[in-house]
């Protein structure tokens, strides 16, 4: 039997009724002749609630226990989905990550998948089981501890299963009917894309478009998984959604494919550090050891052998970053006058493979932002993206202004 992977995100399993609708969709694919692997997220809001419990209990928590707590939301939906399917006379059972066992690294709270043995589930398919429901977002480390794959990680579970089982397709069911030129919650001019190139999706995801977890796109690209994003709302009929595919399979595309935003950014500046060889390593080494995900970095002009060093990181890692810098200072690894955290910033980015061969995108971006009176605090670029850090209160305005200036509401602009 051909295998299909279907992943249902939090809003798609938010209530028992929504689980029933999703199960009906799964039943249709079983009737179409597939053995189906269903990957489920926790019910909408559950993971946030569990993260809240952990943070309230222990601000600088032990990530192994964080994983023990936050992985539990998916266990509930996996069991409920299997029960719902059984009620519909579809032979199904649930698997938690460790039962597969989905083996991961030991990087708790952002573990990577190492291996997914297929024998266990395949032998059940061989015995007539039609649907394997697997709890997304979780696996087990070599130390036999539960590990999670980072927020949004069920997408990655789904793509990894599709690759491991050679699935015909990996369908990601969510609360929007595909990938848009920007978050449809922010701009009503956002346009649904029928296709998007892996590389563009990868950048959009890593720059904050949470419709797919970055790692899931990386895996799909590497293992040539046919990846589709579609809505679990409406009748879920022949709704084509968006296909994430190779660049060559896209006939017409805009120079800028999309605009992404990331709300939870913080800008941190170390005031007056020594401007000497090795200073960047002395700062960013301890930050990395403390598990801080540094994104943008700017080193300012040096005056009398001292300079300011600015970097950005997720808002919820500010306390970790401060603790790491204080420790490095106490240990004499670095010396600085002050550490200033600005937690009211956001990152807005434009992405497009057309930028490789098209000059002037940055200038147009900066002009559009300046026309709205938006001040840019930090800029970073790569071959196919430009990101700016701005005051968070201007984030929506910036996204809309960029969507307008690059005419993303029109195909082939
Ligand atoms: P799920 O719970 O199904 O995993 P997520 O909330 O993780 O869903 O991702 C879907 C959300 O991603 C949408 O509701 C939308 O607000 C957001 N999003 C951000 N950028 C985009 C984009 N470019 N296209 C579509 N959705 C986007
Ligand atoms: N439930 C997890 C989260 O909210 C994983 C996922 O939904 O993909 O991040
Ligand atoms: Mg998600």
């Amino acid at each position: 039997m051909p295998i299909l992977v279907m992943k249902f995100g939090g809003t798609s399993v938010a209530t028992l009724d929504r689980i029933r609708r999703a199960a009906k969709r799964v039943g249709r694919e079983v009737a179409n002749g597939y053995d189906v692997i269903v990957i489920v997220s926790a019910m909408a809001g559950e993971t946030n609630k569990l993260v809240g419990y952990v943070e309230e209990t222990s601000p600088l928590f032990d990530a192994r226990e964080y994983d023990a707590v936050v992985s539990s939301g998916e266990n509930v939906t996996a069991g409920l989905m299997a029960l719902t399917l059984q009620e519909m006379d579809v032979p199904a059972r649930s698997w938690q990550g460790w039962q597969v066992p989905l083996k991961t690294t030991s990087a708790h709270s952002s573990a990577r998948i190492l291996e997914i043995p297929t024998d266990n589930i395949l032998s059940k398919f061989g015995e007539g089981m039609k649907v394997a429901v697997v709890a997304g977002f979780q696996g087990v480390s070599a130390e036999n501890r539960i590990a999670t794959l980072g927020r949004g990680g069920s997408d990655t579970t789904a793509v990894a299963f599709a690759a491991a089982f050679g699935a015909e397709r990996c369908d990601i069911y969510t609360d929007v009917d595909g990938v848009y030129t920007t978050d449809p919650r922010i701009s009503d001019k956002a346009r649904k894309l029928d296709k998007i190139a892996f590389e563009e999706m990868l950048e959009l995801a890593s720059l904050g478009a949470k419709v797919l977890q970055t790692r899931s796109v990386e895996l799909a690209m590497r293992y040539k998984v046919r990846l589709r994003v579609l809505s679990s709302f409406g009748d879920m009929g022949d709704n084509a959604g968006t296909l994430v595919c190779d660049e060559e399979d896209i006939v017409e595309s805009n120079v800028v494919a999309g605009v992404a935003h990331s709300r939870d950014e913080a800008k941190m500046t170390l005031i007056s550090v020594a401007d000497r060889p090795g200073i960047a390593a002395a700062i960013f080494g301890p930050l990395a050891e403390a598990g801080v995900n540094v994104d943008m970095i700017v080193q300012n002009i040096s005056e009398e052998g001292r300079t300011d060093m600015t970097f950005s990181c997720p808002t919820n890692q500010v306390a970790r970053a401060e603790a790491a810098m204080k420790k490095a200072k106490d240990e004499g690894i670095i010396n600085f006058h002050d550490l200033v955290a600005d937690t009211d910033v956001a990152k807005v980015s434009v992405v497009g493979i057309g930028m490789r061969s098209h000059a002037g995108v940055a200038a147009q971006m900066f002009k559009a932002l300046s026309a709205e009176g938006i001040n840019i605090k930090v800029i970073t670029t790569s071959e196919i993206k430009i990101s700016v850090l701005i005051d968070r209160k201007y984030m929506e305005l910036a996204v809309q202004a960029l969507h307008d200036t690059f005419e993303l509401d029109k195909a082939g602009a």
Side-chain angles (χ1 to χ4, degrees), residues 7 9-10 41 151-155 174 210-213:
K7 178 255 172 178
S41 287
R151 297 306 304 270
S154 298
D155 298 327
T174 182
K210 67 175 186 156
V211 61
L212 286 173
Q213 198 198 32

Side-chain angles (χ1 to χ4, degrees), residues 7-12 41 155 173-176 178-185 204 208-211 259 261:
K7 178 255 172 178
F8 293 93
T11 41
S12 310
S41 287
D155 298 327
Y173 285 90
T174 182
D175 58 357
V176 282
V179 178
Y180 280 70
T181 48
T182 194
D183 189 342
R185 286 176 207 258
L204 285 174
K210 67 175 186 156
V211 61
V259 182
H261 68 276

Side-chain angles (χ1 to χ4, degrees), residues 4-215:
L4 199 63
V5 172
M6 302 171 76
K7 178 255 172 178
F8 293 93
T11 41
S12 310
V13 292
T15 61
L16 297 184
D17 182 52
R18 294 232 45 95
I19 294 179
R20 262 192 301 274
R21 282 162 183 252
K24 270 191 203 151
R25 185 77 184 91
V26 174
R28 284 227 288 276
E29 297 294 7
V30 170
N32 286 340
Y34 289 102
D35 282 342
V36 182
I37 300 176
V38 173
I39 309 293
V40 285
S41 287
M43 289 168 146
E46 272 308 299
T47 312
N48 284 349
K49 187 180 88 185
L50 296 168
V51 170
Y53 287 163
V54 171
E55 287 176 345
E56 200 178 324
T57 307
S58 170
L60 293 178
F61 49 77
D62 171 350
R64 290 163 300 193
E65 300 306 343
Y66 166 96
D67 279 351
V69 176
V70 304
S71 61
S72 64
E74 271 70 11
N75 297 344
V76 175
T77 35
L80 289 173
M81 176 64 84
L83 286 171
T84 310
L85 287 160
Q86 288 171 7
E87 287 295 321
M88 292 163 49
D89 292 327
V90 178
R93 71 154 270 197
S94 69
W95 268 266
Q96 295 182 8
W98 66 272
Q99 292 173 306
V100 174
L102 185 153
K103 296 179 191 162
T104 69
T105 61
S106 306
H108 286 275
S109 82
S110 56
R112 288 165 88 92
I113 298 175
L114 294 174
E115 193 194 342
I116 302 180
T118 55
D119 39 344
N120 191 334
I121 287 176
L122 285 178
S123 77
K124 289 288 169 199
F125 280 142
E127 291 167 20
M129 185 194 65
K130 286 283 144 205
V131 183
V133 186
V134 180
F137 176 57
Q138 53 170 269
V140 61
S141 73
E143 293 78 32
N144 205 26
R145 302 288 307 254
I146 304 299
T148 65
L149 309 178
R151 297 306 304 270
S154 298
D155 298 327
T156 301
T157 310
V159 174
F161 267 82
F165 285 80
E168 199 172 291
R169 217 172 50 235
C170 180
D171 285 343
I172 306 283
Y173 285 90
T174 182
D175 58 357
V176 282
D177 59 354
V179 178
Y180 280 70
T181 48
T182 194
D183 189 342
R185 286 176 207 258
I186 292 210
S187 169
D188 51 17
K189 290 192 193 157
R191 178 171 55 86
K192 198 198 87 174
L193 300 164
D194 293 333
K195 290 180 176 178
I196 184 162
F198 281 121
E199 281 181 69
E200 288 172 334
M201 191 62 240
L202 196 58
E203 286 286 0
L204 285 174
S206 74
L207 295 167
K210 67 175 186 156
V211 61
L212 286 173
Q213 198 198 32
T214 310
R215 184 85 186 117

